[in-house]
């Protein structure tokens, strides 16, 4: 773990990065545990899908046991018609964890298909706007 953490710190320093986001596959394995243990912030993404709920609880508990200083939820693919304030309160109540943002389902994200940056092409898009609290959180974290 120390060698991995040193490698991440070297990468941050050499590339002069303010923030390094590491996108990990769902589930817990040795790589995921190393990454969580070295993190200053853990963002756990979940969808409004019953299968995600238990896995989210497990990952949050691991983050807490590994003493990650900041732990947040990110709700992704929230269907149209969901009341974001109600969803936020329900998530906080269920997981005892702050919510960084609630991202709506976005046809625009599907259409762009990794061939561009939605925020550059459509800054007023609801998905892009929903990301703003997360961006602010990351800016404060550096």
């Amino acid at each position: 773990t120390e060698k991995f953490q040193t490698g991440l710190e070297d990468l941050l320093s050499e590339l002069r990065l303010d923030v390094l986001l590491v996108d990990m596959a769902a589930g817990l394995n040795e790589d995921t545990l190393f990454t969580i243990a070295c993190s200053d912030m853990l963002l756990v993404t979940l969808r409004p899908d019953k299968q995600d709920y238990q896995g989210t609880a497990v990952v949050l508990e691991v983050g807490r046991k590994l003493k990650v200083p900041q732990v947040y939820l990110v709700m992704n693919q929230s269907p149209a018609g969901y009341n974001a304030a109600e969803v936020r309160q329900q998530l906080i109540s269920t997981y005892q964890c702050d919510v960084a943002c609630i991202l709506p389902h976005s046809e625009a994200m599907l259409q762009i298909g990794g061939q561009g940056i939605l925020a550059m092409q459509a800054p007023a898009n609801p998905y892009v706007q929903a990301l703003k609290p997360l961006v602010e959180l990351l800016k404060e974290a550096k």
Side-chain angles (χ1 to χ4, degrees), residues 3-63:
K3 192 173 189 177
F4 183 75
Q5 186 165 4
T6 301
L8 289 176
E9 289 170 0
D10 289 348
L11 184 63
L12 282 164
S13 176
E14 287 180 32
L15 298 178
R16 296 184 182 155
L17 301 175
D18 293 326
V19 175
L20 175 62
L21 284 174
V22 179
D23 184 6
M24 303 293 294
L28 292 173
N29 57 44
E30 189 175 348
D31 293 340
T32 306
L33 292 173
F34 277 138
T35 305
I36 292 172
C38 296
S39 298
D40 295 322
M41 180 186 293
L42 176 62
L43 300 169
V44 180
T45 304
L46 76 153
R47 292 170 294 159
D49 175 340
K50 296 279 187 217
Q51 291 178 332
D52 266 9
Y53 295 165
Q54 185 174 8
T56 297
V58 170
V59 173
L60 289 172
E61 184 61 26
V62 167

Side-chain angles (χ1 to χ4, degrees), residues 86-130:
E86 287 178 14
V87 170
R88 178 180 301 277
Q89 286 308 311
Q90 186 176 29
L91 291 171
I92 291 169
S93 175
T94 301
Y95 295 106
Q96 305 301 304
C97 182
D98 286 333
V99 177
C101 63
I102 298 175
L103 302 172
H105 172 76
S106 173
E107 288 297 320
M109 282 295 289
L110 295 174
Q111 290 171 355
I112 203 167
Q115 298 301 310
I117 299 172
L118 184 61
M120 301 281 289
Q121 295 178 10
N125 181 283
Y127 187 89
V128 174
Q129 294 301 308

Side-chain angles (χ1 to χ4, degrees), residues 131-142:
L131 279 168
K132 285 186 174 186
L134 178 57
V135 171
E136 290 304 314
L137 188 65
L138 293 172
K139 284 168 55 176
E140 292 172 10
K142 66 177 188 166

